[in-house]
Amino acid sequence: MRPYTLKQIQTFLEVARQGSVSKAAERLFVTQPAVSMQIRQLEDAFGLPLVEPVGRNIRLTHAGEAFRTHAIAAMGQFKDLEALMADHVGLKRGRIDLAVVSTAKYFIPMLLVRFGKQFQGIDIQLKIDNRENILGLLARNEADLVVMGRAPADMDCVATPFATNPQAVLATPDHALARRKKLPFSALADHGFVVREEGSGTRAAMERLFADNKTPLKVVMEMPSNETIKQAVMAGMGLSFLSLRTVRHELASGHIALVDIVGLPVMGHWYVTHLSQKKLSPAARAFKEFLIEQGGALMDSWS
């Protein structure tokens, strides 16, 4: 068997996740030929094909499926090895693979800047995606730490709250409901909502809220990001349910209004999460402690 490299395995796993060489190249910030070469060298090392073309995309062969399963487990072991060795280095340098749900992008960059001023030399690789995909990274041990709005109930992990996450119904300031006070939740039944995509934590929280209040949810448009939803609300396309952490500027400027519903905002929390068996490096431990000790207060000061 010819030698193979961690880079080749990492490239293969990204191609497997994306189902496309071109999309994998975009995520890895390399060219498509470079990705194809890494895959070809990996296949040559084992002497059998791991992927096969299907139109413009690719799919894994039977051998490729088996390889992916064991490669994911192996990469998790390598992360634990890196953490173990980092214990002998301390906090002079280190790397953190951080994954956050998309709503957290409104405060995570500012927290990273504050952390970086206190702990120079630590490299943080940040991944932003919806809750469903972030949970996949957590389950596969591809992230050291995860920031999300609700701890997973079906996974053996440690989830520690570090900040509040108020969520409420929002409207354009001239909406009929925006001018009324102390509305019952049932008042929302006849109004359309612009919502996040399936797999989003915000979408799941909204659906639970409507179900708990036995009120039908009328969806007029589904959008993949909070930014487009905010623009839709300001344009009068419909109401929405979002974390107030994402609309602090729009509320302050009067471009978006809070709908006064009895029982709202829903007060959730932001959690820093990792697998229970995960051995955190000194750098990852330092960032977790930073979030718990300082994250909430910093976020409140920016509101």
Side-chain angles (χ1 to χ4, degrees):
M1 186 180 296
R2 296 182 184 178
Y4 55 93
T5 67
L6 285 178
K7 183 177 181 181
Q8 290 165 1
I9 295 176
Q10 291 167 335
T11 301
F12 167 82
L13 288 175
E14 191 63 41
V15 170
R17 276 192 292 269
Q18 302 300 328
S20 164
V21 170
S22 60
K23 291 180 181 178
E26 291 177 6
R27 297 295 293 264
L28 295 170
F29 302 102
V30 298
T31 64
Q32 292 184 41
V35 170
S36 297
M37 182 183 68
Q38 294 288 338
I39 297 298
R40 186 167 59 253
Q41 290 174 342
L42 191 61
E43 290 177 328
D44 289 344
F46 287 94
L48 76 172
L50 301 175
V51 302
E52 57 188 3
V54 180
R56 295 185 177 180
N57 298 320
I58 64 97
R59 68 183 175 196
L60 302 185
T61 62
H62 291 303
E65 291 284 1
F67 187 89
R68 176 173 61 175
T69 299
H70 290 277
I72 289 172
M75 294 307 295
Q77 291 294 317
F78 276 118
K79 283 183 176 291
D80 290 342
L81 175 62
E82 291 174 359
L84 179 64
M85 293 299 100
D87 278 334
H88 297 276
V89 177
L91 284 174
K92 293 182 179 179
R93 59 183 176 87
R95 167 178 166 146
I96 305 171
D97 286 317
L98 175 65
V100 307
V101 295
S102 53
T103 300
K105 69 183 179 183
Y106 292 92
F107 57 82
I108 279 293
M110 293 182 287
L111 291 176
L112 291 179
V113 169
R114 290 297 186 97
F115 178 76
K117 290 179 179 178
Q118 297 178 33
F119 299 93
Q120 299 179 8
I122 294 179
D123 176 32
I124 298 183
Q125 299 296 312
L126 179 63
K127 291 184 180 179
I128 302 173
D129 213 322
N130 66 28
R131 176 183 172 84
E132 182 177 344
N133 292 333
I134 292 298
L135 283 175
L137 293 175
L138 177 63
R140 296 190 299 270
N141 197 24
E142 294 181 33
D144 298 317
L145 296 171
V146 164
V147 172
M148 59 176 58
R150 181 167 54 92
D154 57 350
M155 200 179 300
D156 185 14
C157 62
V158 176
T160 308
F162 67 89
T164 58
N165 181 25
Q167 297 171 300
V169 175
L170 304 164
T172 183
D174 59 1
H175 193 283
L177 295 186
R179 296 189 292 270
R180 298 170 61 185
K181 299 297 182 182
K182 299 187 182 304
L183 291 164
F185 198 91
S186 58
L188 301 174
D190 296 327
H191 296 273
F193 276 73
V194 183
V195 302
R196 284 288 304 273
E197 78 284 5
E198 293 286 353
S200 157
T202 302
R203 172 74 172 267
M206 180 186 63
E207 290 176 342
R208 286 196 308 274
L209 181 64
F210 273 76
D212 290 345
N213 284 274
K214 297 179 173 57
T215 301
L217 172 61
K218 182 180 178 182
V219 176
V220 296
M221 184 71 70
E222 183 178 286
M223 295 182 172
S225 76
N226 294 324
E227 285 304 309
T228 51
I229 286 178
K230 288 193 291 185
Q231 293 299 320
V233 170
M234 287 188 285
M237 187 175 291
L239 304 175
S240 192
F241 178 80
L242 292 174
S243 168
L244 298 187
R245 300 282 188 187
T246 70
V247 291
R248 56 193 180 93
H249 294 304
E250 291 81 3
L251 286 172
S253 64
H255 289 93
I256 285 180
L258 195 65
V259 179
D260 188 5
I261 302 293
V262 175
L264 297 186
V266 175
M267 189 59 71
H269 289 87
W270 287 105
Y271 293 85
V272 55
T273 308
H274 58 83
L275 294 177
S276 295
Q277 71 271 24
K278 180 75 177 178
K279 180 175 177 58
L280 295 180
S281 67
R285 285 200 304 270
F287 186 65
K288 177 181 177 179
E289 291 168 3
F290 165 80
L291 289 180
I292 295 169
E293 295 171 3
Q294 303 181 43
L298 287 170
M299 290 166 59
D300 290 342
S301 71
W302 298 325
S303 298

